[in-house]
């Protein structure tokens, strides 16, 4: 087999040299290789996306901040360019030219994906997110479809450009461009790339000290290309999940809990309402609650409010697990809790069933979403009701939600069907993106944040209406009502809807318990609480003996949390940010770029001034988190 000749200055197909005028027309392109142009386009795409994101999270010195966040990308793209030029010099064959072109295609492909993800979600793309998205496309498609519908013109334009670009690249791979390694232009470009690389490395520590990036440094101050390349290497991704096989999760009857001594006729009915995507920052104080959620404000005035409550994982299935079992969710992105088992896990439903309670769950989301029927079977609920039970497509709103008030009648019919105490658990859906309310409620606002506030007001109406319908049936005379968020959401709303960053607006939730005659009105608990405290706190209020129960959460009504309490949180996807809160100090670790940042929430409630932790202090906290 004959060896393919090197591509050193392949002669023109025509024997005649180009005319002077034609040389002038082509001169600006003759020395540039296609991969150089592709890499330049990828760098421009990345820089523009970072610039737009920096505008949404501005630093005190925007120009220095912009220089600092693009340094890692300048280093990466310059290094790729220099490596390809080195390969061309030592092995200038057609296959080397094809290899260089393929590398540049991969780089620009990731640049476009990273830019799109950054603009949609507020964070850069990395392997854990890609793995999550590719795991089950039927769960991802509604999110993608929503963005495509909002940006149809941009999507069509991008598709046309991508199709044309792929056509040209395929032709160039079939007929690779000649490799030219001589000439002053080649040497000049090599020197320029080397100079950019050296200058960027030298400027990095200087700009780090002066740019004052704040929170933007967490999401923008590294090269997504470099991170994904390193993460793909064997042994470079620290394990962040637990050994599920070695974890003992209590099944029904396994918790040693002393039953309440309260007589059956005196046992209260229990209603737990989870509010979808309701951030504590929307209603942090009573004045704002009166405007957005007046009924929740009333419940707080008449009951107890737990003001410093966080979620372990900002995901609905994990929220169900945390609130209804009092246990730490499984630290895997898969819905392992929903895999049907032969014997239910111990939950508030199974514990109350031993005290004579019926249990039912109602939601307007589809039962197929996150495998909900299997999950509530595993929780030991006697009855679970989903959107499919309604059989009315007119109640559907958005790809996930529905007119939540439509579930109140079936729920009240269920609780009224039999005598005796009941446990009713429900969750709203309207306040999930795309943040749309029924037409009868309000005219949809044009501003995304105003649309979100509309869903917040609707959710408050849902709680009020449910309570009033139960009152009309005479079921509120002895009713323990617990209302809390399943998780928060980014209050940008038109961005960050996927909750990829563990900011306070995402992991801090409202929590109120209302039980007149048993809880002094206007009580406030300021200590750190977790969503996992929900079940043990309700059981403690009902008089159950939890001294040997072994919950990960605790009864924060009978035993208020100590100032030294530590809460942990995780962002749900592989290699996502993980952290802890002690008092007013919050620490966030970003494993895919190995950075540990501390915040003082008392002086910096918006988390704009992180303090990097290094050395032995960093090692100790990272070891504790992992």
């Amino acid at each position: 087999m004959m060896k393919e000749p090197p591509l050193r200055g392949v002669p023109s197909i025509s024997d005649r040299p180009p005319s002077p005028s034609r040389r002038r027309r082509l001169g600006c392109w003759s020395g540039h290789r296609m991969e150089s142009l592709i890499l330049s386009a990828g760098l421009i795409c990345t820089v523009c996306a970072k610039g737009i994101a920096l505008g949404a999270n501005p630093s005190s010195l925007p120009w220095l901040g912009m220089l600092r966040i693009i340094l890692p990308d300048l280093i990466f793209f310059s290094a790729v360019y220099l490596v390809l030029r080195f390969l061309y010099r030592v092995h200038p064959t057609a296959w080397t030219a094809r290899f260089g072109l393929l590398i540049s295609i991969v780089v620009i492909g990731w640049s476009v994906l990273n830019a799109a993800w950054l603009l949609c979600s507020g964070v850069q793309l990395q392997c854990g997110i890609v793995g999550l998205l590719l795991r089950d496309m039927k769960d991802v498609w509604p999110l993608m479809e929503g963005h495509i519908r909002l940006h149809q013109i941009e999507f069509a334009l991008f598709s046309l450009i991508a199709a044309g670009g792929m056509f040209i690249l395929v032709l160039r791979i079939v007929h690779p461009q000649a490799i030219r390694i001589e000439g002053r232009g080649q040497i000049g470009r090599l020197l320029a790339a080397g100079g950019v690389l050296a200058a960027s490395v030298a400027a990095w520590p200087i700009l780090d000290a002066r740019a004052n990036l704040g929170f933007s440094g967490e999401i923008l101050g590294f090269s997504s290309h470099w991170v994904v390349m390193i993460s793909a290497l064997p042994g470079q991704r620290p394990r962040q999940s637990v050994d599920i096989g070695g974890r003992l999760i209590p099944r029904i009857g396994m918790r040693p809990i002393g039953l309440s001594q309260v007589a059956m006729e005196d046992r209260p009915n229990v209603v737990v309402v989870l509010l979808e995507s309701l951030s504590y920052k929307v209603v942090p104080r009573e004045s704002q609650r009166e405007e957005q959620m007046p009924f929740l404000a009333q419940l707080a005035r008449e009951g107890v409010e737990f003001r410093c409550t966080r979620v372990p994982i900002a995901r609905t299935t994990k929220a169900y697990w945390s609130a209804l079992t009092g246990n730490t969710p499984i630290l895997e992105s898969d819905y392992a809790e929903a895999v049907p088992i032969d014997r239910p896990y111990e939950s508030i439903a199974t514990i109350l069933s031993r005290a004579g309670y019926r249990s039912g769950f109602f939601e307007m989301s589809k039962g197929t979403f996150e495998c909900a029927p299997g999950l509530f079977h595993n929780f030991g609920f006697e009855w679970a009701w989903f959107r499919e039970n309604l059989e009315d497509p007119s109640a559907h709103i958005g790809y996930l939600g529905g007119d939540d008030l439509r579930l109140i009648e079936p729920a009240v019919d269920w609780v009224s069907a039999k005598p005796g105490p009941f446990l009713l658990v429900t969750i709203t859906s309207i306040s999930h993106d795309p943040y749309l309310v029924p037409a009868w409620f309000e005219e949809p606002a044009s501003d995304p944040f105003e649309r979100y506030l509309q869903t917040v007001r609707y959710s408050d109406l849902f709680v009020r209406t449910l309570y009033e319908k139960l009152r009309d049936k005479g079921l509120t005379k002895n009713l323990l009502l617990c209302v809390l968020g399943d998780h928060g959401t980014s209050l940008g709303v038109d961005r960050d809807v996927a909750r990829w960053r563990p900011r306070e607006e995402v992991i801090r939730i409202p929590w109120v318990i209302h039980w007149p005659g048993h809880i002094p009105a206007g009580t406030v608990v300021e200590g750190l609480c977790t969503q996992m405290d929900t079940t043990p706190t309700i059981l403690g209020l009902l008089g159950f003996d939890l001294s040997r129960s072994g919950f990960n959460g605790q009864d924060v009504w009978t035993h208020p949390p100590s100032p030294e309490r530590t809460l942990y949180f995780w962002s749900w996807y592989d290699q996502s940010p993980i952290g802890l809160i002690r008092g007013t100090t919050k620490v966030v670790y970003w494993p895919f770029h190995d950075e540990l940042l501390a915040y003082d929430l008392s002086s910096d409630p918006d988390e704009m001034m992180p303090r990097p932790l290094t050395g032995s202090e960093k090692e100790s906290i990272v070891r504790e988190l992992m």
Side-chain angles (χ1 to χ4, degrees):
M1 181 180 294
M2 294 182 63
K3 185 177 180 181
E4 190 167 7
L7 287 179
R8 294 180 182 268
V10 176
S12 171
I13 295 176
S14 171
D15 293 332
R16 293 179 301 170
S19 66
S21 61
R22 185 165 181 266
R23 281 199 300 269
R24 284 194 298 270
R25 291 197 304 270
L26 300 178
C28 62
W29 297 102
S30 60
H32 293 275
R33 297 190 57 78
M34 179 167 284
E35 49 267 39
S36 302
L37 300 175
I38 293 174
L39 291 174
S40 299
L43 177 60
I44 292 171
C45 179
T46 302
V47 169
C48 289
K50 283 191 169 185
I52 295 171
L54 183 63
N57 298 279
S59 66
S60 58
L61 300 170
W63 289 109
L64 286 179
M66 188 64 194
L67 286 174
R68 167 59 185 86
I69 64 174
I70 67 173
L71 279 183
D73 302 296
L74 289 174
I75 292 172
F76 177 82
F77 279 86
S78 299
V80 172
Y81 179 84
L82 290 172
V83 168
L84 292 182
R85 284 292 172 175
F86 174 77
L87 290 176
Y88 295 158
R89 177 165 287 275
V90 300
H91 195 62
T93 67
W95 286 107
T96 305
R98 292 186 179 103
F99 174 78
L101 185 59
L102 288 174
I103 290 295
S104 63
I105 292 172
V106 170
V107 170
I108 194 174
W110 188 265
S111 299
V112 172
L113 290 175
N114 180 53
W117 186 257
L118 178 58
L119 295 177
C120 290
S121 71
V123 295
Q124 294 195 80
L125 199 57
Q126 51 99 355
C127 286
I129 298 175
V130 174
L132 180 62
L133 294 177
L134 295 179
R135 185 197 63 190
D136 193 346
M137 287 303 295
K138 77 176 188 302
D139 282 347
V140 178
W141 172 245
L143 180 65
M144 295 171 59
E145 184 184 27
H147 283 293
I148 291 172
R149 286 182 177 178
L150 288 173
H151 306 283
Q152 294 182 26
I153 296 177
E154 295 91 333
F155 180 75
L157 181 61
F158 172 79
S159 300
L160 288 173
I161 295 173
M166 288 304 298
F167 178 75
I168 295 173
L169 291 174
V170 168
L171 288 181
R172 185 59 76 184
I173 288 176
V174 175
H175 302 289
Q177 189 177 4
I179 295 176
R180 302 178 187 276
I181 58 177
E182 292 85 11
R184 287 178 297 179
Q186 306 291 338
I187 297 174
R189 282 188 283 274
L190 285 173
L191 291 175
V196 170
L197 180 61
S200 300
V201 172
W204 193 318
I206 300 173
L207 289 178
D208 249 350
R210 298 183 181 180
N212 193 21
L213 272 175
F215 177 73
S216 300
E218 294 186 35
I219 56 175
L220 303 174
F222 63 94
S223 168
S224 174
H225 299 79
W226 176 258
V227 166
V228 71
M229 186 177 71
I230 294 300
S231 298
L233 298 177
Q236 295 301 311
R237 301 170 65 192
R239 179 168 172 78
Q240 193 171 305
S241 56
V242 298
D243 182 1
I244 297 177
R247 177 182 175 187
L248 176 62
I249 301 177
R251 301 290 188 94
I252 183 171
M254 290 181 63
R255 288 198 185 277
I257 294 176
L259 297 182
S260 173
Q261 299 304 308
V262 178
M264 179 66 74
E265 61 273 14
D266 295 328
R267 292 175 185 173
N269 298 314
V270 178
V271 175
V272 178
V273 180
L274 289 159
L275 300 174
E276 172 67 49
S277 301
L278 185 65
S279 171
Y280 184 85
K281 282 199 171 186
V282 178
V283 286
R285 288 293 179 261
E286 190 169 326
S287 61
Q288 290 162 296
R289 273 201 302 263
E290 287 291 355
E291 178 183 355
Q292 302 297 337
M293 304 195 76
F295 190 66
L296 183 62
Q298 177 184 333
L299 294 178
R301 288 194 303 271
E302 297 175 356
V304 57
E305 177 184 5
F306 303 91
R307 283 189 175 163
C308 298
T309 305
R310 269 75 172 195
V311 300
I313 301 176
R315 192 72 184 180
T316 299
T317 294
K318 307 300 183 179
Y320 289 147
W321 182 270
S322 301
L324 301 180
T325 71
N327 256 18
T328 304
I330 295 172
L331 298 188
E332 295 285 351
S333 56
D334 288 319
Y335 310 119
E337 297 90 343
V339 177
I341 54 175
D342 57 347
R343 186 181 174 195
Y345 298 118
E346 191 78 286
S347 72
I348 188 172
T350 60
I351 294 168
L352 289 182
S353 69
R354 300 203 287 274
Y357 280 74
R358 295 179 292 126
S359 58
F361 172 80
F362 291 76
E363 72 170 350
M364 273 298 293
S365 297
K366 290 183 178 180
T368 54
F369 184 72
E370 297 188 5
C371 312
L375 181 67
F376 285 91
H377 160 78
N378 290 349
F379 285 153
F381 278 78
E382 297 176 18
W383 176 251
W385 186 98
F386 306 100
R387 181 196 292 182
E388 290 87 344
N389 295 70
L390 190 63
E391 298 182 348
D392 183 0
S394 68
H396 302 181
I397 300 175
Y399 68 89
L400 173 66
D403 189 347
D404 294 319
L405 268 69
R406 299 288 300 276
L407 70 77
I408 292 179
E409 183 179 353
V412 173
D413 287 345
W414 175 82
V415 300
S416 305
K418 295 180 181 178
F422 61 81
L423 166 68
L424 170 65
V425 179
T426 185
I427 185 171
T428 60
S429 64
I430 286 294
S431 46
H432 194 284
D433 71 280
Y435 309 114
L436 298 173
V437 293
W440 60 262
F441 179 71
E442 289 180 9
E443 183 70 23
S446 56
D447 179 73
F449 183 63
E450 288 302 320
R451 287 204 308 271
Y452 174 67
L453 292 182
Q454 287 181 313
T455 68
V456 170
R457 292 191 290 271
Y458 175 94
S459 299
D460 188 70
L461 176 64
F462 170 83
V463 181
R464 177 191 291 275
T465 305
L466 175 62
Y467 183 84
E468 291 174 348
K469 293 294 184 182
L470 292 171
R471 183 189 60 197
D472 294 344
K473 293 286 186 177
L475 298 171
T476 59
K477 295 177 182 178
N478 189 12
L479 175 69
L480 189 158
L481 174 61
C482 172
V483 182
L484 74 161
D486 72 331
H487 50 71
T489 188
S490 168
L491 299 184
V493 177
D494 57 332
R495 296 160 50 89
D496 309 347
V497 295
R499 306 182 298 278
W500 302 105
R501 295 179 284 168
R503 302 191 71 171
E504 286 294 277
E505 61 195 26
V506 171
I507 68 171
R508 188 175 177 184
I509 57 171
W511 181 21
V512 171
I513 294 181
H514 179 265
W515 192 16
H518 299 268
I519 295 176
T523 305
V524 174
V525 176
E526 294 282 5
L528 285 180
C529 298
T530 169
Q531 203 172 42
M532 294 185 292
D533 297 335
T534 308
T535 285
T537 299
I538 291 174
L539 294 177
L541 283 166
L542 296 180
F544 286 78
D545 179 6
L546 307 180
S547 57
R548 298 183 300 118
S549 61
F551 288 110
N552 295 144
Q554 67 184 55
D555 174 5
V556 289
W557 170 254
T558 308
H559 306 287
S562 69
E564 294 78 26
R565 190 180 195 189
T566 299
L567 303 181
Y568 300 91
F569 55 86
W570 183 56
S571 296
W572 186 58
Y573 60 96
D574 185 38
Q575 296 302 297
S576 67
I578 189 169
L580 61 82
I581 298 176
R582 290 193 183 108
T584 60
T585 299
K586 179 178 181 179
V587 178
V588 180
Y589 178 58
W590 296 72
F592 55 88
H593 59 101
D594 191 29
E595 191 169 16
L596 186 69
L597 301 159
Y599 300 85
D600 183 350
L601 297 177
S602 60
S603 61
D604 180 26
D606 294 325
E607 303 168 87
M608 298 301 292
M609 297 180 290
R611 177 173 63 90
L613 302 182
T614 58
S616 59
E617 183 180 20
K618 174 184 176 182
E619 291 179 7
S620 174
I621 295 177
V622 170
R623 190 181 309 114
E624 176 184 355
L625 290 172
M626 289 302 181

